Amino acid sequence: MSIAAATTLPPTIWDGYHLEWGQRTYVMGIINVTPDSFAGDGLLPAGTGALRDPAVRDQVVQRAVAQAQQFVAEGATFIDVGGESTRPGASPISPAEELERVLPVIRALRAALPAETIISIDTYRAEVARQALEAGANLINDIWGLRADPEMAALAAERGVPVVLMANMRGFQKREIVSDVLRFLA
């Protein structure tokens, strides 16, 4: 897609949010509620699974809020909350564990951040996305581009929320990054 094409996209408007494409750059701050983040910035202590221990949960939530507030102060429009590591070789976790990780953080962020801050849930599971939206998330960030859970697209349509479609190249024959992403998203 050319720069000229990107500037002709219509705005994305939902629930009082308004994104004008091509007018400014939007920055997303990432909150990894994992012990094994790809970026090495996961908020859970090593060996921690779900956030059942109230002391650990409170500490993680406080760190997440502080990190998100810093991101917003530095210009982030979006705060993306993920509970399952997407690093190569990471083991999947159960939906219940993912919910235990992300829901307390999303609730706390919604209460602590300015109302115009967009909170996204980084998940490929429709049930996790549904509960995250109910907890205060405003957008879905699906690393599988709506391919992993057949209910995800219907959920986004039902709730009227945008979806960030990621091109997940796992198990996909790679040739050249731009054409690969276009083929994946097609």
Side-chain angles (χ1 to χ4, degrees):
M1 179 184 312
S2 72
I3 297 297
T7 60
T8 61
L9 290 173
T12 301
I13 303 169
W14 80 106
D15 289 342
Y17 298 97
H18 189 105
L19 300 173
E20 285 284 338
W21 305 111
Q23 301 301 308
R24 62 171 278 213
T25 299
Y26 295 103
V27 175
M28 178 181 277
I30 309 297
I31 305 288
N32 290 310
V33 191
T34 65
D36 57 347
S37 166
F38 180 77
D41 62 352
L43 296 180
L44 292 183
T48 305
L51 290 177
R52 292 187 187 108
D53 180 335
V56 172
R57 181 178 52 244
D58 290 347
Q59 178 187 29
V60 167
V61 168
Q62 289 172 6
R63 289 176 60 204
V65 168
Q67 187 175 17
Q69 288 172 325
Q70 180 179 348
F71 287 152
V72 171
E74 293 172 352
T77 301
F78 301 90
I79 300 297
D80 188 53
V81 179
E84 180 174 289
S85 178
T86 58
R87 70 172 171 71
S91 298
I93 61 172
S94 71
E97 187 170 344
E98 186 177 6
L99 287 164
E100 288 177 7
R101 290 177 178 184
V102 299
L103 291 181
V105 170
I106 290 170
R107 288 184 189 111
L109 293 178
R110 184 75 293 149
L113 296 177
E116 64 272 11
T117 304
I118 299 166
I119 299 173
S120 66
I121 177 64
D122 179 352
T123 188
Y124 55 89
R125 296 179 173 116
E127 185 54 33
V128 172
R130 179 181 312 284
Q131 290 191 43
L133 292 168
E134 291 168 5
N138 315 96
L139 181 140
I140 299 167
N141 179 8
D142 185 343
I143 67 161
W144 282 101
L146 302 176
R147 291 179 174 208
D149 188 332
E151 296 178 27
M152 187 68 90
L155 170 66
E158 168 192 316
R159 295 295 302 267
V161 298
V163 179
V164 173
L165 296 176
M166 304 271 299
N168 188 322
M169 307 311 285
R170 291 181 188 157
F172 195 78
Q173 183 179 359
K174 298 166 194 76
R175 294 182 221 153
E176 188 276 322
I177 189 65
V178 174
S179 62
D180 289 347
V181 169
L182 291 173
R183 281 186 302 121
F184 181 91
L185 294 176

